[in-house]
Amino acid sequence: WRTSPWTKSKMAASTILAAIAEDMGKFYDLSDGGLENITLLFSDIAQAPVPLPTVLELLGITEDEARAAGPGLKATKPMLEAAITKSIEEDDTPDQYVKVFKQHILRLSNANKVMSEVGESLKALHASVDGDLGKIEAFFCDLAPEPHTGKPMPPGMINALIRVGPDATTCPVEAFLDCMCRNLDPNDTSEHLIPNIKKHTA
C-alpha cells in the first residue's frame, strides 16, 4: 500500500503541529502577531529569506487587506497555525520546527526583558539628542561587536536601520525603540547597554 505524498504531508503536519503547539503559543504571545517577527520565523524555517508577499499568502491576508491595515497589520493565532500547516513538507521533522521556534522565543523573550529594563533610559537618550540620526548612529556604532565597535556605518545605513526616509536627519522615538528591540540578540543584557546609553545621553 503506497502512501500518497498528500497523505504523507498531512501526517507530517499533524506530528509537527503537536510537537510545537506550546512553543507556537509562546511565540505568538511574544510577537503579538507582528508580521516582521513572523516573516523572520518563516525565513529561518525555510533557511532562506521568505518575501513578505509569500508570508501574507500563507497567512491568508490579501494585499488589499495589508494596505488597508498599514504598519499595524497583525496576524491572528489561527492564521499563524494555518500558515505553518501549509508550509510543512512531507520530509520535514518536528526537530526542525522546534529548534527554530525555541530560538525565536529566546530572542523575543530577551528583547522584551531588556527593553523593559532600559526603555526609559533609551527614551531619555533620544530626547537628549532630539532624535538626531548622527548621534544615534554613534550610539549604535559603540554597540557593534569587535572589530566594528565605534566605526562609522556606510552612508544611509542608519536611515535603513531605523526605517526612516533616506533624506531624514532625525527619527521619532518609537522608530528608535523599535529598531533597538528588533536588533537585540539573546545574549544582549541591560548591563552591557547601560554604560553606552549613559555615554551618549547628552
Side-chain angles (χ1 to χ4, degrees), residues 73-107:
L73 177 65
K74 292 182 180 180
T76 64
K77 195 172 175 182
M79 281 179 178
L80 176 62
E81 185 172 333
I84 293 288
T85 304
K86 288 179 200 169
S87 73
I88 294 171
E89 298 180 358
E90 63 179 272
D91 55 350
D92 286 345
T93 66
D95 285 349
Q96 288 172 260
Y97 283 77
V98 169
K99 182 182 176 184
V100 172
F101 268 97
K102 289 199 181 298
Q103 285 172 341
H104 281 260
I105 288 167
L106 182 63
R107 180 181 64 81

Side-chain angles (χ1 to χ4, degrees), residues 20-30 77 101:
I20 63 172
E22 186 178 340
D23 285 340
M24 192 177 346
K26 286 180 186 174
F27 169 82
Y28 183 81
D29 291 342
L30 287 165
K77 195 172 175 182
F101 268 97

